[in-house]
Amino acid sequence: RYDGYDMVVYAHNRDDGASLSHDWIWSVYVDNSGTLWVGTDGCGLNRYDRARDAFTRFQHAPDDPHSISNDRVRVIYQDRQGYYWIGTDGGGLNRFDASNGRFTHYRHDPAQADSLPNDTVLAVFEASRGKLWVGTEGGLARMDHAREKFVVYRHDPSLAGSLSSNQVRSVYEDRRGQLWIGTYKGGLNLFNRNSGSFRHFQHDPANPRSLAHNRVRSIFEDHEGTLWVATDNGLNEWRPALNGFVHYRHDPQDSTSLATDHVFGVLEDGNGDMWFGTFGGGISRLDLDSGRFTRYRMSDGLVADSAYAMLEDDRGRFWVSTTKGLSRFDPETETFKNYDTSHGLYSSEFNLGAHYQSASGELFFGGVNGWNAFFPDRVRGATAPPPVSVKREPVNVKSLWPAS
């Protein structure tokens, strides 16, 4: 489906059984073979066949015990053995074996302590040691592959080393093999594999080096081994020497502070520069030497100020999905080119978390009305806003950090 700009748009067509099953996209994943998988809100899982330019749908069938357990697909993940793990909203975890087309279900059973802790699955991750970790609305689980059961970790107010919150949103392994757990209301956890306990990093108003907020949006480690934690009250840089965090927050009186405190995501570009997507503040680039931010917002040419996702193409340009379209940003010239439905996008509103970049450089962005796939170098015909001068002003870096 070529529209003149090489942006291929895929959407649901009720008269075409080989079209996308639903237009509301929750998850996008490209597996080890380059095959695209798309999870929807209510109409199951889709696998794209490039040769046929068609989708194979996997949907729940009540009379088939080997069909997917639930059609609301939140997470798609492929492990090293080639199995696909599908996390659903209300149907637990599924293991899909592509060799026979069967799904194996893992559900929560209140009578079984070693079952999945909750049927809403929000994160799946295979650690370097081959252990599969599953984050749910009811706790964290590590799969025992031999028994096909789970070791479950939950919050227990009577145990200081238990998980800080049962609402697990992210699981991240750093280069030292340490496992970090991000939660929705309980801050950040560091797992101790030897003791099976957790070290908590939570917001404490009396401690200026504590985590800025207990709602963790994303966790990221840069090429130097620095851990970054995005929250709903600013950005956190973990400093082991301080045994705490350095905070970066929005300051209305400082134009080189973080654009807003609601940070969605983190990206490190090919030059080692750190970029942050925000809700309501566009994107911000951090100068690691000075601690100053350069902001890029609608007034600078970005199509909208809520940046859901950023991907860097092979030429060092950023593609930013927003609430009002897609922007291509050139950091060398500090200019934007914007794309909307007139350029082939099926919808101008995207979804948080629905983005992926394949090994071949193809970019995928999912939205409320289907998903878009394209090779950046083939896209042309965008609208360019008037040139805008981006101001940079000096700032005392200490003003960005809490008092020690």
Side-chain angles (χ1 to χ4, degrees):
R1 301 205 269 264
Y2 176 78
D3 61 9
Y5 300 98
D6 286 308
M7 275 198 183
V8 183
V9 180
Y10 297 90
H12 174 65
N13 180 348
R14 64 182 181 180
D15 296 322
D16 182 3
S19 70
L20 191 66
S21 64
H22 195 276
D23 286 335
W24 193 282
I25 309 301
W26 261 357
S27 50
V28 178
Y29 185 78
V30 178
D31 67 21
N32 297 332
S33 68
T35 299
L36 178 74
W37 299 77
V38 181
T40 69
D41 179 16
C43 285
L45 179 69
N46 298 259
R47 181 178 63 196
Y48 179 60
D49 184 332
R50 288 182 183 275
R52 296 188 302 116
D53 191 29
F55 290 91
T56 299
R57 301 176 183 178
F58 301 92
Q59 295 174 310
H60 177 63
D63 57 347
D64 182 0
H66 300 296
S67 68
I68 192 169
S69 65
N70 184 283
D71 286 332
R72 305 185 73 194
V73 177
R74 298 297 297 264
V75 184
I76 307 167
Y77 188 87
Q78 184 183 28
D79 67 19
R80 294 182 183 88
Q81 292 182 305
Y83 291 114
Y84 298 89
W85 298 88
I86 315 301
T88 71
D89 186 359
L93 182 69
N94 295 255
R95 184 184 67 196
F96 178 62
D97 186 341
S99 67
N100 58 25
R102 291 186 170 189
F103 291 85
T104 302
H105 306 159
Y106 302 90
R107 303 291 297 265
H108 172 61
D109 182 350
Q112 297 291 330
D114 54 3
S115 70
L116 191 70
N118 188 276
D119 280 337
T120 296
V121 176
L122 301 171
V124 179
F125 177 75
E126 185 180 28
S128 58
R129 301 183 184 185
K131 302 294 185 182
L132 191 78
W133 294 85
V134 184
T136 78
E137 283 283 3
L140 178 70
R142 175 173 56 82
M143 188 167 195
D144 181 337
H145 288 286
R147 298 172 54 241
E148 296 222 326
K149 299 292 184 180
F150 296 91
V151 177
V152 176
Y153 303 89
R154 287 191 177 94
H155 175 62
D156 184 342
S158 66
L159 295 177
S162 71
L163 188 67
S164 67
S165 169
N166 287 333
Q167 293 179 295
V168 177
R169 291 294 193 271
S170 53
V171 181
Y172 190 91
E173 185 178 32
D174 66 23
R175 64 178 61 186
R176 292 173 290 278
Q178 298 182 119
L179 208 64
W180 300 84
I181 313 300
T183 71
Y184 187 66
K185 294 182 179 179
L188 185 67
N189 295 255
L190 177 60
F191 181 62
N192 186 319
R193 284 188 169 92
N194 295 325
S195 65
S197 62
F198 297 86
R199 180 184 176 187
H200 303 161
F201 300 90
Q202 295 177 302
H203 178 62
D204 178 359
N207 180 3
R209 296 300 183 194
S210 69
L211 192 69
H213 196 275
N214 286 335
R215 186 174 296 166
V216 174
R217 290 287 184 179
S218 61
I219 308 168
F220 181 83
E221 183 183 30
D222 66 24
H223 75 284
E224 293 184 346
T226 300
L227 195 76
W228 300 87
V229 184
T231 74
D232 276 0
N233 191 30
L235 180 67
N236 302 259
E237 178 189 354
W238 171 242
R239 294 279 183 91
L242 299 176
N243 194 32
F245 295 92
V246 169
H247 300 159
Y248 300 91
R249 289 195 177 101
H250 174 64
D251 179 354
Q253 306 303 316
D254 182 2
S255 63
T256 60
S257 67
L258 186 65
T260 181
D261 287 333
H262 295 279
V263 183
F264 278 160
V266 184
L267 181 144
E268 181 180 24
D269 68 21
N271 297 320
D273 291 328
M274 301 301 301
W275 296 79
F276 305 94
T278 70
F279 180 77
I283 61 176
S284 294
R285 177 175 59 187
L286 174 62
D287 185 312
L288 294 171
D289 294 326
S290 67
R292 295 176 293 184
F293 288 87
T294 302
R295 306 172 184 175
Y296 302 92
R297 308 185 62 166
M298 286 183 68
S299 56
D300 304 306
L302 183 65
V303 70
D305 279 336
S306 290
Y308 283 152
M310 289 185 291
L311 292 174
E312 182 182 15
D313 66 23
D314 294 337
R315 294 173 58 182
R317 302 170 303 183
F318 301 142
W319 295 81
V320 186
S321 63
T322 75
T323 54
K324 294 183 179 179
L326 188 69
S327 287
R328 188 188 75 189
F329 176 64
D330 186 333
E332 293 295 324
T333 61
E334 297 184 315
T335 56
F336 289 90
K337 289 183 181 293
N338 297 326
Y339 302 83
D340 56 26
T341 53
S342 68
H343 301 101
L345 296 181
Y346 197 71
S347 170
S348 292
E349 184 172 357
F350 292 87
N351 275 345
L352 183 65
H355 63 284
Y356 203 89
Q357 183 172 14
S358 72
S360 63
E362 191 171 11
L363 306 186
F364 303 89
F365 291 97
V368 298
N369 284 321
W371 60 275
N372 302 268
F374 58 93
F375 288 92
D377 283 344
R378 300 178 188 172
V379 177
R380 56 190 182 273
T383 58
V388 177
S389 172
V390 180
K391 292 174 124 183
R392 292 183 178 77
E393 299 176 8
V395 60
N396 181 351
V397 69
K398 292 183 180 179
S399 69
L400 297 175
W401 300 346
S404 60

